[in-house]
Amino acid sequence: MNNTGPASPLSAGSNIFLRALSGMAAMSARRVLAAPSLAPLPCIMAHHGSAALRPEHTLAAYARAIADGADHIEPDLVPTRDGVLVARHESQITDTTDIATCPEYATRLRTQTIDGITRTDWFTTDFTLTELRPLCAHERLPAIRPANTRHDGHFDIPTFQGIIDFVAAEAATCGRMIGLIPEIKNATHFRLLGFTPKETFLHTIAAHEYTRYCPLEVQSFETTPLCRLHGRVQAINPQAHLMLLMGERAEHVPDTMGTATPLAFGDFMPPDDLRRVRDYADVIGPSNKDIIPRDADGAWSTPTSLIDDAHRAGLLVQSYTFRPENRFLPAQLRNTAGTMPETRRDQSQKSDAIWTWVLTASLPMPRQRPPCPAGSGPPAIRPVSQAARAPAGSR
């Protein structure tokens, strides 16, 4: 929005607030075409929390992301042996906890195959929540994020219920909505082990008032869970969205492996197939490299048409992940400007959200939110409805 003259502090604050609501609105209406105008202010997704600054999937990482202005925080969810959903990047926990220092659990080290990959590790499904409680979180990538190791041992493993409580409290403190964008990990694998993470997830969001109205988006790399969740999540939270995460184009979709018709993620990216994805999902989450590929030297090459094709199919696009470390950046940006230019280039392709590990290095514009009016509660700060939004195609 262009201003032709000086604005008073009140009008400037109101403008920021309206733009924030407009950005949230792109995540909030369910049956709309995903034209670029639906996200005039792209949503900021804190991938694993502010994982470049705090050990991922800890309340500290989520708190830092919220303080830096995140619209949504993203917990990865895996079950314990007694079926409680906890936040870890994967079910295996050697890299993210101090489990290896616990001699009483030495005999639980074992080997199993998850989505075609065989690992020897300790797994959350072999421990009850009570047994996991004493463990402390550790930095998953210490060679890349050595500064985060100073926080090793300071934080525990949060449950999904605890994360909801924490985000609801932060939202009340900040006076703004903070969304949740949980990923249900390895759903087919856990189902074969006898767990029911989808049912547990639905029960958890239904039991908490905040998750019945906050911006909520559920993600999975698998199509079957999304098809089964479609409609059931929205019955609990009518504004909720479902996202099909996409791995590399040649990577197999986990719930199709071993079937008569195994599929790769690239099979979902042509225009006709994107229209079929719209039957059970509102959003796709491809990697940044599927938006702007990189050549053999890691440099940017010609952007693909994936965002435009998805928008024409009525899908929002939220690519992942903007990371500040040189090993993750395109060759043109290494040792120079960090992830900010990468974020701007992605936004030039009309992406609807920014997934990042460190908000202060990725935000293309200030994210400060004005406080809610005194006495306002959750209904007053919910995203605006479809009826209140400008017509599709307007700016």
Side-chain angles (χ1 to χ4, degrees), residues 44 322-323 339-340 343 354-364:
I44 304 298
F322 295 97
R323 298 177 270 205
T339 195
M340 180 69 78
T343 304
I354 297 168
W355 284 81
T356 182
W357 277 351
V358 53
L359 278 74
T360 52
S362 300
L363 298 184

Side-chain angles (χ1 to χ4, degrees), residues 141-154:
L141 303 171
I144 299 174
R145 307 168 186 158
N148 272 2
T149 61
R150 70 184 185 274
H151 302 294
D152 286 357
H154 291 185

Side-chain angles (χ1 to χ4, degrees), residues 224-376:
T224 303
L226 293 178
C227 290
R228 293 177 177 172
L229 288 170
H230 181 71
R232 299 179 69 190
V233 174
Q234 291 83 3
I236 297 167
N237 182 329
Q239 68 175 342
H241 282 184
L242 301 182
M243 177 201 288
L244 175 63
L245 288 165
M246 293 178 165
E248 299 294 330
R249 289 176 183 260
E251 183 181 341
H252 283 98
V253 181
D255 55 327
T256 71
M257 296 172 63
T259 68
T261 56
L263 298 171
F265 285 104
D267 295 325
F268 292 86
M269 295 183 186
D272 289 345
D273 296 283
L274 288 169
R275 284 190 284 272
R276 283 188 279 273
V277 170
R278 188 66 183 91
D279 290 339
Y280 56 85
D282 309 282
V283 189
I284 60 169
S287 72
N288 289 344
K289 294 177 184 178
D290 284 314
I291 305 302
I292 307 176
R294 299 181 190 179
D295 62 21
D297 296 322
W300 274 323
S301 57
T302 304
T304 70
S305 63
L306 182 57
I307 289 181
D308 286 337
D309 293 340
H311 283 174
R312 281 191 287 267
L315 291 159
L316 293 166
V317 181
Q318 299 168 358
S319 65
Y320 64 90
T321 302
F322 295 97
R323 298 177 270 205
E325 298 91 358
N326 273 320
R327 64 177 294 171
F328 299 119
L329 290 170
Q332 294 95 326
L333 305 184
R334 292 171 192 163
N335 299 311
T336 55
T339 195
M340 180 69 78
E342 185 188 19
T343 304
R344 288 175 176 150
R345 178 84 186 271
D346 179 83
Q347 288 304 296
S348 74
Q349 301 301 309
K350 299 173 289 189
S351 179
D352 301 299
I354 297 168
W355 284 81
T356 182
W357 277 351
V358 53
L359 278 74
T360 52
S362 300
L363 298 184
M365 59 193 73
R367 303 297 295 183
Q368 291 82 5
R369 311 293 200 204
C372 293
S376 65

